[in-house]
Amino acid sequence: AAALTAIAARPAAATPETAKQLLQTLAKGEPKEGRVTLKAPEIAENGNAVPVTVSVESPMTDKDHVKALHIVADGNPNPGVASFFFTPLAGKCEVQLRVRMAQTQKIVCVAEMSDGTLWSAAREVKVTIGGCGG
Amino acid sequence: MADDIKPRIRVPQNPKKGDVLEIKTLITHPMESGQRKDTQGNTIPRRIVNAMAVTYNGKPVFSGKLEPAISANPYLSFFVKVEESGTLAFEWKDDDGSVYTAEQKITLA
């Protein structure tokens, strides 16, 4: 029982606000919803490795491509997850990764396009067993 | 420890010119988050792979900055458009300063 209390009492340092602040430092501006598709399980039994796929609609040409993709999560000890950077050589903007999730939380992605526009998508993942070693 | 770290790469077979290939990568690495405690209650120091970069024939294709929120044995898949035969070069950077590299030749049909 002691261990359980310890898990419950451990504060998650990241909040939706700190996640948003981090996104602002990564990509300044107000992102519009759309163009970004975020695939993640609705319920993740094991928070140690939650498969996440992010794709961005883009022709990936020299003139029009995705420059960066930032991913944050608002329920982990720290909000940052990863930032990815692309060049037109990629041909297609899609990345698959596995994320640790300490608890049920929302993950947010913001894509930074070569024309400076920002697009975002968000999704909540319910986590049955948290994945930060607790 | 460093000896256990091994990159693995998978690329599709028989690519043709202009194909957009899905590249799957995995590197065995503990990705110690710096949040965990050992049995004595001491914090286990953070040690993660904090960056990854990929070039094709020396030109950058994809790179990433990774945080402790990435799972142990970080798996990443992404795409590369191949217009010519060449070499994909991968590089992972560890918190402790180590750099792990791998190469994969791609020969177009």
Side-chain angles (χ1 to χ4, degrees):
Chain A
L4 265 179
T5 331
I7 292 169
R10 189 176 53 204
T15 61
E17 285 72 40
T18 55
K20 213 173 167 181
Q21 277 167 15
L22 176 66
L23 273 180
Q24 273 304 317
T25 61
L26 294 169
K28 240 184 162 43
E30 195 56 45
K32 284 178 268 189
E33 268 184 43
R35 288 184 77 166
V36 183
T37 311
L38 178 54
K39 275 187 227 148
E42 194 175 333
I43 297 171
E45 277 171 23
N46 180 358
N48 265 319
V50 183
V52 173
T53 307
V54 188
S55 55
V56 186
E57 238 176 82
S58 165
M60 293 304 276
T61 56
D62 284 339
K63 273 189 179 161
D64 182 6
H65 60 269
V66 181
K67 273 170 66 180
L69 186 62
H70 306 288
I71 306 170
V72 302
D74 63 14
N76 280 342
N78 292 300
V81 175
S83 292
F84 298 108
F85 305 92
F86 301 86
T87 68
L89 272 181
K92 181 174 168 184
C93 181
E94 182 176 313
V95 55
Q96 247 180 65
L97 64 157
R98 290 177 191 150
V99 181
R100 280 186 178 132
M101 292 192 186
Q103 54 177 331
T104 296
Q105 57 188 294
K106 203 161 138 191
I107 54 175
V108 184
C109 305
V110 170
E112 210 179 324
M113 316 299 275
S114 52
D115 63 4
T117 55
L118 301 176
W119 299 86
S120 81
R123 199 179 156 96
E124 192 181 75
V125 179
K126 292 193 173 71
V127 177
T128 317
I129 300 171
C132 280
Chain B
M1 271 301 280
D3 299 335
D4 307 336
I5 290 161
K6 200 169 154 193
R8 289 174 201 177
I9 289 145
R10 179 164 288 179
V11 300
Q13 299 279 307
N14 306 319
K16 292 183 194 66
K17 183 179 154 65
D19 277 1
V20 177
L21 310 178
E22 181 176 25
I23 314 295
K24 296 178 176 174
T25 70
L26 187 144
I27 182 161
T28 49
H29 191 281
M31 292 296 272
E32 195 54 67
S33 67
Q35 302 284 338
R36 293 201 311 152
K37 290 191 166 64
D38 64 15
T39 45
Q40 270 82 47
N42 306 312
T43 304
I44 305 171
R46 169 183 140 145
R47 183 179 171 222
I48 67 160
V49 168
N50 57 49
M52 195 248 185
V54 182
T55 59
Y56 190 55
N57 288 342
K59 284 175 269 181
V61 176
F62 170 85
S63 65
K65 202 178 147 282
L66 310 179
E67 301 287 341
I70 299 293
S71 301
N73 304 328
Y75 162 85
L76 281 175
S77 92
F78 53 89
F79 287 82
V80 59
K81 190 172 183 184
V82 288
E83 297 286 1
E84 54 187 357
S85 297
T87 307
L88 269 174
F90 304 82
E91 187 185 279
W92 290 265
K93 286 200 174 106
D94 195 312
D95 271 354
D96 69 7
S98 318
V99 175
Y100 317 112
T101 57
E103 276 190 2
Q104 176 74 50
K105 283 206 162 40
I106 293 182
T107 311
L108 299 186

